[in-house]
Amino acid sequence: MKMNGIVILERLKNALALILVLMAAPSTVAAQYTLSGYIYDSLDREALPGATVQVEGTGRGTTSNAYGFYSLTVAGPVIPLRISFVGFAPIRRQVDLRETDRIDFFLEVEVLEAEDVVVTADRYELQEEVLSTRMGVVALKPSELSAIPTIGGEADLIKVARLLPGVTAGGEGGTGMFVRGGSIDQNLVVLDEAPVYNIGHLFGFFSVFNTDAVKDVEVIKGGFPARHGGRLSSIVDVRMDEGSAERLKAEGGVGILTSRLTVDGPLIDDRMSFMVAARRTYIDKVFGLFGAELPYYFYDLNGKLNYRLTKNDRLYLSTYFGNDVLALNEPSVSDSTTSDDGLAGDLDFGFKLGNFTTTLRWNHLYPGNRLFSNVTLHQTRFKYDIWGRFLDNELLIRSRVRDVGIKGDWEYYLTPENTLYFGGQAIFHTFRPNVLRTTGEINDVLASRPGERLGASEWAVYAGQNLALGSALRVNYGLRLTATNSAGAWYVAPEPRLALRLRLGANASLKASYSRMRQYLHRVSSSSVALPTDLWYPVTDKVKPQNSHQVAAGFTRAFPWLGASLSVEGYYKTIDRIIEYREGANLLLNDTFEEELLSGSGRSRGVEVLLRRRTGRWTGWLGYALSKTDRHFDGLNGGRRFPAKYDRRHTLSLVSMVELTPRVTFSAVWTYMSGAWFTAQNGQFLMPNASLTTVDLVPVYTDRNAVSLAPSHRLDISFIIRDVLGGEWHIGAYNFYNRASPFRVAIDHNGVAYQYVQQGLFGFIPSITYNFDLNL
Amino acid sequence: MTRWGFDIVSKSRSATGTYLRVTRFLALAISLMVLCFLAFGCDLVDLPIEVEPAPSRLVVSSVMGPEQSLLITVSRSFSALSATDVDSLSSDFINRLLIDNAGVFLRYGETTDTLAHLFDIPGLYGGFFSELEPYQLLDLTVHDSLTGEIVTATTELLPPVALEAVSLSEEIDAQGDTTTVLVYRFADPPGENFYALHAYNLPASSVLDSLFIDDEENPVFANDEDLVFYETLITDQAFTDAVIADTVRLPFVSVNDTIAVSLAHISEGYFRFLDARRRTGGLVSSLANEPVNHPTNVIGGLGFFTAHQPRAVVVEKR
C-alpha cells in the first residue's frame, strides 16, 4: 500500500495515542505505594536484567528490565520483599514504603562451600519462566557461552544459539542461522540496539561477538512483543558488558586461534565505569614463523562507557569495530571511486570487510518511579573492499551499508499486574552496492561504475500492555505500526502481537501467541550460501516487503526440586513475498538484480522441546525440534512446492556441563541434524546448439531441493581446569569422533557423469585456551 | 559469571615471575596446539549422497534447412551419475542413444506426413515441406516403436527475418583501447518477436558438415568450437520502432576479419530455452548460478521442437 508520507506519520501518531488511552483505561487499581530501583551484582555493581522482585507470600512481583531497573506498585505500606537471580544469593528484606520509594539491591554470588561456587536452584526464577507470557525466547549467559565447547576453543554465541531447538545451521562452520523455517536474512542481530549486518568472521566460521565483552544474549524466535520488529524470523539481542563499577580488572584468554583481553573498571567512583575489549587472530603470525605466508587475520574492538548522570539518569556509550583482512597488499585507491586516481600502488589480491557500530543510550526514570525510558541513538556501518591485480589489470569491488537510527522505549509499571510499554523507532539506511573500479583490459569486460546510492528509511511506533486478568490468565498484547520510505514510495503495515498465558497450578502453564512481522530489507546473494559479500537492498517497486504470520502454542513446566524447566511449543508460520533467485540467475555485480528475483511464499510448522537445567552441578539442556519448511514460487520447480534448502526434519542437541570437582568442569555437546536438501543433476541429453556448430550436453536436474543430504552428528567436549592462580584452562576437542559434518556438496565430474559426496570441513581438532581474570 | 581472581598489587613481584613462566608455557602450548591443529584436523571421510538417476526420455530437436526442409533428431536422455555405465561419450554410446526405429509424423493443417529416416544416420529424420505457410502451426509426434513411448510437440513456423545492414567498425574507449564493434539492423515484424544472432569466424566448413562429421574418436565435438565467437538473444521489447538497430562489442575480432552473421526469428519458448542455455553455459555460471531445468515444448520428452529459419550474411574484411 503506497501512501503520502505526512499522512502516514499522522496516522501512526494518532493510532499510538489511541492505543495508549485504551490501554491505560483498565488500570484503576487501589495501589498506593511504588518502590523502584536497580538490581546489581554486588561484586562489580553491574546491572542484572531479569532479576525477580517478589512480595513474599503474595505471589505478586516483577522482574528487572534489560537495564536492571524494576518498579513495583503495591498497597503497602510495609511489605516483605525477596530479590533473587540465578546464581546469586537471594535478599529478604522488610521494606517500609512510607520511608522510601527507591532501593537499589546488590546481590552477591552464592557461595555454598569454601572454594566452591555453585549456582543454586531458584524456584522463583523458574516460576517466572512459567508465569511469563513470553514464549520462543531463550536467554544465554556468558558463563554458558564460555563453557560450551566450540572449534578452536573460541566461544561463539551464534553457534551456541544454534543449539537451541528451532534454530538450525547451514553448513559446518558458518554462522548462518535459520530460525523456524526463515531465511538467513530474516534474523535481526543487534548489539546494544545497533543492527549488525555481518555476524561472522572468516566467512562465517567465527562470530563477531567477543564473549568476554558480552553481558547477555536473548534469542527470540516467536511470540514477539510489539517492541521488537524489523525482521521476520528472529531477534538476537546482544548486550555488551557495562564494566565493573567496583574494581579494575582484566580478563582474557590465549587460544590457538585468537587472543583476547578485556579491561574494565570504575573511572569515576560511583559515577562512571568503562569496558574495553580486544581480540585478534594470529594464525598469520604463526604461519610466518614457519616461513609460510597466510596474510589473513581478523580483529574486534569493543568499548563501553557507563555514566550515572543523576539518580534517575544514566548514559551508556558503546562501540564495536571489527575487520577481516586478507592483504597481500592493501589498495591505495582513493576513497572517491569516481576520481581518476586509478588503482595506483602495488596491488595483488585481498579483501577487507567489517562492521562498525556505535550506540548512545539514555535511561531515564520519571517522577513517580513508575515510568522508565530508554532512548537510543545508533549507527552501523558495514563495508567490504575486494581488490586484485593480474598483469596490468586492476580491480576494486566495494560495497557500503550505513544505518543511522533513533529508538525510544518507555515502560510504565502501573501495578505488578499491569505494565504498559510503548515507543518508536526510525532508521535511515544508505546502501551503495556494487562499486566497481577497473583499469586495464579487464575494463572491456567489467567497466568501472560508481555504484548506485540507495536510500531508505524505516519507521515504527508501538504500544503494548502486559496485563493479568485474574490469577490464572495473563495477556500481553500490542500493536506495532511500521512504514518504510524507499525509492519515493511509502509502504505501511500494522503488526499486531498477542501472547496469552494460562496458569495451571504453581509450576505449569499453557501459552499461546500470534505475531505478524514485516521486513523492509532483503539480502541478495551471488551464491547459494550466505557470504559477507552479499548485498542488502531496500524494498522496491518490484521487490515488496516480506510479511510473516506466526501462531504458536505451548506448555511450560518448572521442576523446582530439579532446578529445571520444560517447554514444549508448536508453531505454524507463513511467509509471503519471500525472494528467491530465478533459475540461472546471475547476481554477481548485477545492478539490475531485481529482474533476477522471484517473489513467492513459504510456510513452516514444527514442534520444539527444550528441557533445560540452569542450576546445580549438572547444567545444560536437551533440545529437540521436529519441523517442516517449504517454499512456493510460480516461476520455480514448475510451480510446485519444494523443501527449503535447510529444512531439517529433526534436530537434537544435548548440552551438558558437569562440575566434576571444584576445580574441574566437563562439558560436552552432541548434536544431530537431518540432512539439508539440494538439487542434483541426475540426467542429461545431447542436442545441437542454436548456432548448429556443435552439440551441447544439456543437464537435467531433479526437482528443486529434491535430494536429501545425509544427516550429520558430532560430539564436542571440553575440560575446564581452574589453576591455583585463578585462571582457567579450556582443553577440548571439536568433532571428537571425527565424523564429517557436511560443509558442502562436492561434485566429482569426469566430463560426462557426476558423483556427489558431502565433505566435512573440520575433523577431530584439539584445542587449548587459557583464560584469566585478574584484579588490577 | 564465575570469577577467580587474585590481587596482583599485593603480590607484584611473585606475579611478575609467574607471568614470565606462564608466558613461556603458553608460547610452547600454542605452538604445539597449532601443530596438532594442522596435523589432525580436516582428515575426514566424505559422506555419500544417494541420487536417483533421471529416467531416460525421448529427446527431440529440429532444424529448418533450405527450401523449408525440416530435420528432426530423435535420441534419448541418459543418466548423469557416475554410478551408472556412463563414463565417456563414445561413438557406441551415442549410437545407442540415437533412435533409428522411430515413427516421426508432422501434421500441418489437415495434412499429416511421415518424415523419412535420412542418410542411414541413426536418429535423423527429415522431409521437405515447401507448402508450409508462415505462422502455420506444426504438430510433431514421435513414436518409439521399441518402447512404445510417444511424445508430441507443437511449434509455429515463423517467417525468416533478414539482416538489412551489418558492418564492423572500431570503437575507442576512455582508456584509448580499440574494440571492434558489430553494427546491425533489421526490420522487426509486428507483434512480439524474439531473435537469436550468431557471428561466425570464416572460412569454415559448412555448418551441417561440421555437425554431422564422422569422427570415430570424438564424433560430436570434432567441429571447431571456436567457430562461433558471439551469440546473443534479442527481444524486441527493448525497441519501440519497427526497426531493430544495435551494436555489440567483439573484443577478439579485428575489423580486418571476415565473419558471417546469422539471424534467426525464433519463438518465445525457444528463446527461453536458449536463454537457459546461456545462463548455464560458462564456468562462472555453472559454479555461481542456481540450477536451471531447461524448458521444453516436447510433451512427455525433452529437447525443443522449433521451426525457425536462420538467414546469414557475410561481412567481408575491410
Side-chain angles (χ1 to χ4, degrees):
Chain A
M1 177 172 56
K2 290 185 186 179
M3 299 175 74
N4 175 281
I6 296 171
V7 173
I8 286 165
L9 291 176
E10 275 300 313
R11 287 190 183 183
L12 291 177
K13 195 173 74 178
N14 295 340
L16 179 62
L18 177 63
I19 290 165
L20 288 174
V21 168
L22 291 173
M23 285 175 171
S27 62
T28 52
V29 179
Q32 295 174 351
Y33 298 96
T34 298
L35 178 70
S36 69
Y38 289 84
I39 302 174
Y40 296 102
D41 158 11
S42 68
L43 189 62
D44 293 317
R45 214 190 308 162
E46 292 189 50
L48 293 176
T52 306
V53 181
Q54 291 265 348
V55 182
E56 286 205 278
T58 66
R60 300 184 74 191
T62 187
T63 54
S64 59
N65 69 8
Y67 305 94
F69 174 78
Y70 76 93
S71 176
L72 187 66
T73 300
V74 290
V78 180
I79 53 169
L81 283 183
R82 185 183 192 280
I83 299 91
S84 61
F85 188 59
V86 174
F88 291 82
I91 293 175
R92 287 191 164 83
R93 186 185 292 185
Q94 194 83 359
V95 177
D96 187 341
L97 296 174
R98 289 167 301 198
E99 296 173 358
T100 182
D101 61 357
R102 178 71 182 267
I103 302 179
D104 293 342
F105 293 102
F106 295 84
L107 296 178
E108 293 187 3
V109 172
E110 189 154 28
V111 180
L112 294 185
E113 297 174 24
E115 294 184 8
D116 183 7
V117 178
V118 179
V119 183
T120 59
D122 190 314
R123 64 191 178 91
Y124 287 92
E125 304 306 323
L126 294 170
Q127 277 186 340
E128 178 57 29
E129 207 171 312
V130 169
L131 297 179
S132 166
T133 55
R134 307 190 75 184
M135 56 191 308
V137 181
V138 181
L140 297 168
K141 297 291 175 191
S143 54
E144 291 175 297
L145 299 175
S146 60
I148 293 172
T150 53
I151 187 166
E154 193 65 27
D156 189 324
L157 71 87
I158 298 295
K159 289 191 173 64
V160 173
R162 292 193 319 208
L163 298 172
L164 302 170
V167 184
T168 58
E172 184 186 27
T175 51
M177 288 200 317
F178 301 86
V179 180
R180 290 188 171 176
S183 306
I184 203 165
D185 66 345
Q186 292 171 357
N187 308 306
L188 176 62
V189 181
V190 291
L191 178 62
D192 278 352
E193 311 274 10
V196 179
Y197 282 90
N198 175 38
I199 60 170
H201 284 302
L202 189 57
F203 297 102
F205 289 114
F206 299 99
S207 155
V208 297
F209 302 106
N210 176 356
T211 51
D212 285 350
V214 171
K215 181 178 183 181
D216 54 53
V217 183
E218 193 170 70
V219 181
I220 308 173
K221 302 176 290 181
F224 299 90
R227 68 170 62 89
H228 292 296
R231 299 289 189 279
L232 299 190
S233 291
S234 79
I235 310 288
V236 180
D237 188 357
V238 185
R239 301 206 170 233
M240 264 194 244
D241 207 35
E242 291 164 8
S244 173
E246 285 290 324
R247 55 181 181 140
L248 181 62
K249 64 185 198 299
E251 63 180 309
V254 181
I256 59 171
L257 298 173
T258 68
S259 278
R260 318 175 311 275
L261 178 65
T262 302
V263 179
D264 66 312
L267 276 181
I268 303 172
D269 274 352
D270 213 27
R271 281 279 182 187
M272 181 185 273
S273 63
F274 78 99
M275 184 276 298
V276 177
R279 177 174 66 156
R280 190 195 191 277
T281 57
Y282 36 65
I283 196 83
D284 54 331
K285 305 294 182 193
V286 174
F287 270 70
L289 289 177
F290 296 100
E293 191 176 15
L294 180 64
Y296 169 79
Y297 60 94
F298 70 75
Y299 61 88
D300 302 310
L301 295 169
N302 293 76
K304 191 161 183 175
L305 282 176
N306 166 21
Y307 184 55
R308 191 165 69 85
L309 279 171
T310 69
K311 182 182 162 190
N312 294 326
D313 295 277
R314 281 165 189 276
L315 283 179
Y316 301 89
L317 176 65
S318 58
T319 188
Y320 165 85
F321 182 75
N323 272 316
D324 282 57
V325 181
L326 173 68
L328 294 175
N329 281 298
E330 291 195 35
S332 57
V333 64
S334 76
D335 195 55
S336 168
T337 53
T338 55
S339 75
D340 293 327
D341 292 344
L343 292 172
D346 186 20
L347 292 183
D348 198 342
F349 172 75
F351 63 77
K352 183 174 184 178
L353 56 94
N355 300 296
F356 171 42
T357 71
T358 312
T359 304
L360 177 64
R361 284 184 293 164
W362 170 42
N363 284 182
H364 179 63
L365 179 61
Y366 291 82
N369 293 340
R370 292 198 204 180
L371 182 60
F372 179 89
S373 71
N374 177 62
V375 176
T376 304
L377 291 170
H378 61 85
Q379 74 85 29
T380 294
R381 186 206 64 196
F382 169 64
K383 66 172 186 175
Y384 73 75
D385 290 340
I386 301 171
W387 63 88
R389 186 180 71 178
F390 178 69
L391 298 177
D392 293 328
N393 298 290
E394 294 175 351
L395 166 77
L396 174 70
I397 303 170
R398 174 170 284 181
S399 175
R400 297 283 185 272
V401 179
R402 178 177 281 278
D403 285 358
V404 177
I406 182 168
K407 185 170 184 278
D409 302 290
W410 282 262
E411 292 169 346
Y412 190 18
Y413 300 90
L414 289 166
T415 70
E417 291 80 25
N418 189 0
T419 303
L420 294 181
Y421 55 91
F422 54 92
Q425 183 173 20
I427 303 179
F428 301 90
H429 305 282
T430 307
F431 306 90
R432 199 174 178 197
N434 285 339
V435 176
L436 178 65
R437 183 150 183 86
T438 54
T439 60
E441 290 181 355
I442 194 173
N443 194 43
D444 291 340
V445 185
L446 289 171
S448 294
R449 61 178 113 157
E452 191 179 2
R453 188 185 294 271
L454 305 167
S457 58
E458 276 189 74
W459 304 79
V461 293
Y462 71 86
Q465 184 174 25
N466 194 338
L467 181 67
L469 302 172
S471 60
L473 187 62
R474 180 176 275 274
V475 58
N476 186 344
Y477 66 96
L479 180 67
R480 185 179 178 90
L481 293 168
T482 60
T484 191
N485 185 322
S486 178
W490 280 90
Y491 302 86
V492 185
E495 299 178 26
R497 313 287 172 78
L498 174 68
L500 295 167
R501 183 268 290 155
L502 179 65
R503 187 172 177 174
L504 304 174
N507 293 312
S509 64
L510 290 174
K511 297 183 181 183
S513 68
Y514 165 77
S515 307
R516 185 191 190 211
M517 307 289 278
R518 193 165 167 94
Q519 181 167 332
Y520 296 109
L521 298 180
H522 47 258
R523 178 174 177 152
V524 176
S525 172
S526 57
S527 70
S528 55
V529 294
L531 294 173
T533 50
D534 295 345
L535 301 174
W536 288 86
Y537 287 92
V539 296
T540 65
D541 269 353
K542 292 178 180 169
V543 184
K544 303 288 189 192
Q546 302 177 56
N547 298 300
S548 75
H549 299 268
Q550 183 179 168
V551 290
F555 171 73
T556 304
R557 174 86 163 90
F559 304 97
W561 59 93
L562 271 176
S565 63
L566 168 72
S567 76
V568 180
E569 285 185 24
Y571 67 89
Y572 182 81
K573 180 161 82 174
T574 60
I575 305 173
D576 59 48
R577 294 173 178 167
I578 197 169
I579 60 168
E580 189 56 90
Y581 315 122
R582 193 183 298 283
E583 288 181 332
N586 175 20
L587 300 164
L588 201 62
L589 294 173
N590 186 351
D591 274 337
T592 57
F593 70 97
E594 288 172 271
E595 308 297 331
E596 307 284 13
L597 297 177
L598 297 171
S599 180
S601 61
R603 60 184 184 183
S604 181
R605 56 276 199 200
V607 177
E608 297 165 3
V609 180
L610 180 63
L611 177 62
R612 190 179 189 196
R613 189 167 193 246
R614 284 190 291 170
T615 60
R617 289 182 184 279
W618 191 333
T619 59
W621 68 82
L622 165 68
Y624 169 74
L626 169 67
S627 63
K628 184 173 170 59
T629 301
D630 58 32
R631 300 279 188 260
H632 176 259
F633 292 82
D634 288 339
L636 293 178
N637 203 42
R640 299 181 299 279
R641 286 191 176 277
F642 57 89
K645 185 176 179 66
Y646 293 107
D647 169 33
R648 300 185 186 275
R649 192 71 65 247
H650 305 277
T651 59
L652 177 68
S653 57
L654 270 167
V655 179
S656 174
M657 289 158 277
V658 188
E659 196 168 84
L660 300 174
T661 74
R663 294 202 179 278
V664 179
T665 298
F666 172 72
S667 62
V669 174
W670 187 74
T671 56
Y672 173 89
M673 290 191 296
S674 297
W677 301 83
F678 91 116
T679 310
Q681 185 187 337
N682 63 345
Q684 52 198 337
F685 60 90
L686 294 164
M687 187 168 171
N689 74 354
S691 64
L692 301 177
T693 54
T694 187
V695 172
D696 287 342
L697 202 52
V698 182
V700 175
Y701 293 93
T702 61
D703 272 1
R704 196 174 182 92
N705 294 341
V707 178
S708 173
L709 302 175
S712 62
H713 48 87
R714 194 185 71 232
L715 175 66
D716 308 327
I717 62 167
S718 174
F719 285 92
I720 302 171
I721 303 165
R722 300 172 185 91
D723 63 24
V724 291
L725 298 176
E728 289 180 347
W729 292 92
H730 290 240
I731 301 169
Y734 177 86
N735 198 358
F736 189 71
Y737 53 79
N738 201 46
R739 187 181 196 275
S741 296
F743 155 68
R744 69 184 191 114
V745 173
I747 304 169
D748 180 16
H749 186 216
N750 64 5
V752 181
Y754 295 81
Q755 184 171 14
Y756 296 95
V757 292
Q758 291 173 95
Q759 290 182 330
L761 190 62
F762 301 118
F764 170 80
I765 298 177
S767 67
I768 184 168
T769 304
Y770 181 74
N771 292 340
F772 56 88
D773 187 351
L774 305 173
N775 287 325
L776 301 177
Chain B
M1 181 181 176
T2 304
R3 296 178 190 276
W4 296 78
F6 66 95
D7 187 351
I8 197 171
V9 177
S10 61
K11 300 175 183 176
S12 58
R13 185 171 296 175
S14 63
T16 305
T18 304
Y19 277 140
L20 290 173
R21 286 195 297 277
V22 168
T23 305
R24 280 197 291 269
F25 178 76
L26 287 179
L28 178 64
I30 289 170
S31 301
L32 286 173
M33 295 312 296
V34 169
L35 287 174
C36 288
F37 187 99
L38 297 173
F40 296 116
C42 308
D43 184 17
L44 291 166
V45 177
D46 294 342
L47 303 175
I49 300 174
E50 299 298 328
V51 183
E52 288 290 320
S56 178
R57 299 162 77 180
L58 288 177
V59 179
V60 171
S61 62
S62 59
V63 173
M64 283 293 276
E67 298 176 34
Q68 299 200 154
S69 59
L70 178 63
L71 296 176
I72 302 285
T73 60
V74 183
S75 60
R76 282 205 162 273
S77 66
F78 54 101
S79 171
L81 303 173
S82 299
T84 58
D85 60 352
V86 184
D87 53 6
S88 69
L89 289 176
S90 63
S91 297
D92 284 347
F93 180 76
I94 291 172
N95 281 332
R96 290 208 306 271
L97 296 177
L98 297 168
I99 308 294
D100 58 3
N101 53 2
V104 182
F105 311 98
L106 186 74
R107 184 164 70 86
Y108 48 99
E110 299 300 316
T111 308
T112 300
D113 284 341
T114 301
L115 277 70
H117 191 187
L118 297 180
F119 314 125
D120 290 331
I121 297 173
L124 184 64
Y125 303 83
F128 288 92
F129 301 92
S130 55
E131 64 274 35
L132 294 178
E133 299 291 332
Y135 299 107
Q136 188 161 15
L137 287 180
L138 310 177
D139 296 318
L140 181 75
T141 301
V142 177
H143 175 225
D144 183 347
S145 60
L146 208 60
T147 64
E149 284 174 85
I150 295 175
V151 298
T152 60
T154 300
T155 193
E156 186 179 33
L157 182 70
L158 293 171
V161 172
L163 289 158
E164 293 177 347
V166 192
S167 63
L168 291 176
S169 69
E170 287 182 337
E171 184 180 270
I172 300 174
D173 63 18
Q175 279 75 38
D177 295 331
T178 302
T179 307
T180 303
V181 175
L182 174 70
V183 184
Y184 64 87
R185 189 183 74 233
F186 60 89
D188 180 36
E192 194 175 8
N193 295 292
F194 302 87
Y195 305 93
L197 183 141
H198 294 89
Y200 302 81
N201 269 322
L202 291 178
S205 54
S206 81
V207 167
L208 286 180
D209 282 353
S210 71
L211 179 61
F212 299 110
I213 191 168
D214 186 16
D215 181 330
E216 281 300 316
E217 290 191 357
N218 198 349
V220 174
F221 299 110
N223 35 38
D224 183 4
E225 291 188 10
D226 293 331
L227 185 65
V228 176
F229 58 79
Y230 187 77
E231 178 180 71
T232 188
L233 300 173
I234 303 164
T235 163
D236 63 1
Q237 290 168 352
F239 300 89
T240 52
D241 298 333
V243 172
I244 291 178
D246 206 350
T247 62
V248 293
R249 302 174 86 191
L250 304 175
F252 306 109
V253 173
S254 158
V255 290
N256 295 320
D257 290 340
T258 297
I259 65 170
V261 180
S262 84
L263 181 71
H265 183 199
I266 59 177
S267 66
E268 180 178 358
Y270 192 51
F271 178 90
R272 304 284 170 220
F273 178 88
L274 296 181
D275 191 43
R277 291 297 307 134
R278 179 181 62 82
R279 286 168 179 268
T280 55
L283 176 64
V284 173
S285 303
S286 63
L287 292 174
N289 294 0
E290 294 291 325
V292 175
N293 260 325
H294 291 66
T296 180
N297 65 346
V298 181
I299 299 169
L302 296 166
F304 216 95
F305 173 46
T306 177
H308 61 269
Q309 304 169 78
R311 293 290 183 265
V313 295
V314 174
V315 183
E316 298 286 353
K317 67 181 178 182
R318 210 184 257 180

